[in-house]
Amino acid sequence: MSTSTAATLPFRDGHTWYQVTTPDEPRPGALPLVVLHGGPGMAHDYLRNLAALADETGRTVVHYDQFGCGRSSHRPDAPVETWVPQLFVDEFEAVVAHLGLERFHVLGQSWGGMLGAEIAVREPAGLASLAICNSPASMQLWVDGAAELRAQLPADVQEALLRHEGAGTTGDPEYLAATQVFYERHVCRVVPMPRDFIDSEEQMEAEPTVYHTMNGPNEFHVIGTMRDWTIVDRLPSVTAPTLVVAGEHDEATPATWQPFVDGIDGAVSHVFPGASHCTHLEQPEEFRRVVAGFFADHDA
């Protein structure tokens, strides 16, 4: 069995929490994997099952909670301009340097895939490959995709969403129930929601600075610092081998992730039938099989 060790490293005026899962039987040549969680602000908990890749592939797996959430330092009073991608690129570089990782793979899920792309366009010397999972290449594409999927919800659900948004009562139980219909179709199709997902969601709701500041109140309304974000025009700068994955029913619709495939030379894609945004929770073994095969192909 693998061994997991947690610790912190200094970052900015606080610390970043990280966990390293080491296989008991390391596979020669298997490079470490660094996992980037989504949200922004969801912490690593919902991606915990990716630690199984340590035993399954003989490689070290690194999780960490990004600054402002989870077990890392929180800064609810930080200026709005603090919460931009460069902060998290800097943090990633600090984690890699602290752990002494000379060459590594990166897997980012949702916002984590967007962050992975932000890292990759900077062409870090140690990046062996990148897996972008369930991620959009621009927030406008994301908003457009959410609107498209929302229009396919049952009429009474759409009506409840519109009515409460118009009245400013988005905390009403009826509104929350209506958003849950969307989530169970397009975010995570495992009902009830897995404990790992709930753990991430609860910590984000308890202190939502990062999510509310960068994104907004929910998946439908992106009004934060990321509202104009796009990486589409910078994708030709990515030189690392890239895998793009999504679920058939993903809130990251095909139009949101196709620019990664079109813009990154040699990028390949894989769609998981029957899955949605949290593919790794819905089809964990198949998800790990697919990404593990990609990483193995690019260990050399």
Side-chain angles (χ1 to χ4, degrees):
M1 293 291 291
S2 58
T3 303
S4 293
T5 304
T8 62
L9 63 103
F11 181 68
R12 297 290 175 96
D13 61 342
H15 69 267
T16 295
W17 177 95
Y18 66 90
Q19 177 179 280
V20 178
T21 303
T22 307
D24 277 354
E25 298 182 12
R27 184 173 63 79
L31 298 174
L33 169 65
V34 182
V35 178
L36 308 177
H37 67 72
M42 278 282 283
H44 86 288
D45 306 68
Y46 78 106
L47 291 168
R48 275 191 286 235
N49 70 7
L50 297 186
L53 288 166
D55 282 331
E56 293 170 358
T57 69
R59 72 178 73 251
T60 295
V61 179
V62 178
H63 289 83
Y64 67 95
D65 285 347
Q66 294 161 25
F67 199 68
C69 64
R71 299 150 191 79
S72 294
S73 295
H74 289 237
R75 293 293 180 267
D77 298 323
V80 169
E81 58 269 21
T82 301
W83 307 110
V84 294
Q86 188 61 51
L87 168 72
F88 301 99
V89 173
D90 293 345
E91 182 181 35
F92 168 82
E93 292 173 348
V95 170
V96 166
H98 179 80
L99 295 176
L101 305 182
E102 296 182 357
R103 196 150 175 79
F104 48 83
H105 303 289
V106 167
L107 182 153
Q109 199 277 333
S110 194
W111 146 251
M114 299 155 66
L115 174 57
E118 283 281 359
I119 292 164
V121 298
R122 291 161 169 81
E123 300 183 77
L127 182 60
S129 78
L130 170 65
I132 298 174
C133 306
N134 320 95
S135 309
S138 89
M139 290 313 295
Q140 188 58 55
L141 290 172
W142 175 264
V143 170
D144 292 345
E148 175 187 324
L149 295 175
R150 179 166 155 164
Q152 299 169 20
L153 294 173
D156 61 325
V157 175
Q158 294 189 53
E159 188 277 331
L161 291 171
L162 287 170
R163 176 161 40 83
H164 286 289
E165 288 167 354
T169 52
T170 54
D172 188 281
E174 185 185 28
Y175 183 81
L176 298 177
T179 61
Q180 190 65 20
V181 174
F182 179 89
Y183 288 8
E184 289 179 0
R185 286 186 175 205
H186 302 298
V187 179
C188 184
R189 293 167 75 89
V190 179
V191 180
M193 290 282 186
R195 184 71 245 176
D196 287 354
F197 186 93
I198 293 170
D199 286 347
S200 279
E201 191 171 53
E202 286 181 346
Q203 68 81 32
M204 186 177 75
E205 290 174 350
E207 208 285 87
T209 299
V210 177
Y211 184 73
H212 284 178
T213 306
M214 294 183 73
N215 185 83
N218 57 37
E219 301 297 276
F220 306 132
H221 302 286
V222 180
I223 58 175
T225 59
M226 291 293 289
R227 63 187 176 276
D228 297 322
W229 179 85
T230 180
I231 202 164
V232 173
D233 59 341
R234 293 179 283 153
L235 292 175
S237 297
V238 178
T239 56
T242 301
L243 169 67
V244 181
V245 306
E248 177 187 4
H249 305 290
D250 207 319
E251 62 175 332
T253 61
T256 70
W257 53 260
Q258 188 62 41
F260 290 124
V261 181
D262 295 339
I264 300 174
D265 186 38
V268 295
S269 62
H270 183 94
V271 176
F272 291 85
S276 69
H277 193 57
C278 289
T279 313
H280 67 284
L281 292 174
E282 298 161 338
Q283 300 179 15
E285 292 82 9
E286 180 64 6
F287 180 89
R288 294 198 301 268
R289 185 191 69 78
V290 169
V291 299
F294 176 75
F295 297 141
D297 287 344
H298 298 286
D299 275 331

